[in-house]
Amino acid sequence: VRTDPCVPCGGGDDEGCILLCDGRCNRAFHATCVGFAGKVEGDWLCKGCARPAGIRKRSRTRRGARTHA
């Protein structure tokens, strides 16, 4: 039996339904912590693993800020 803590809240599996990411991270998430309601059919991927390869989050910059090369 796997008892990894939920990534977003750090809680154990006794606090609700735990989803295990079937992607590269294989981490645990409470269904409520990731806003999942329903039945998992097939593989479930967390947001990080579901993001297409090669696409990164954009860094937050001030609007109109200039960057220097």
Side-chain angles (χ1 to χ4, degrees), residues 3-23:
T3 59
D4 292 352
C6 171
V7 172
C9 76
D13 65 354
D14 57 17
E15 298 174 31
C17 177
I18 290 284
L19 300 171
L20 297 177
C21 178
D22 291 309

Side-chain angles (χ1 to χ4, degrees), residues 10-64:
D13 65 354
D14 57 17
E15 298 174 31
C17 177
I18 290 284
L19 300 171
L20 297 177
C21 178
D22 291 309
R24 66 186 177 276
C25 77
N26 199 34
R27 296 184 297 175
F29 300 82
H30 286 121
T32 55
C33 290
V34 294
F36 182 83
K39 182 179 177 183
V40 176
E41 294 182 15
D43 291 346
W44 178 82
L45 300 174
C46 69
K47 286 183 181 181
C49 290
R51 186 178 313 122
I55 297 177
R56 297 181 185 172
K57 286 185 178 180
R58 298 177 100 182
S59 61
R60 294 181 186 199
T61 58
R62 287 190 339 231
R63 198 175 244 193

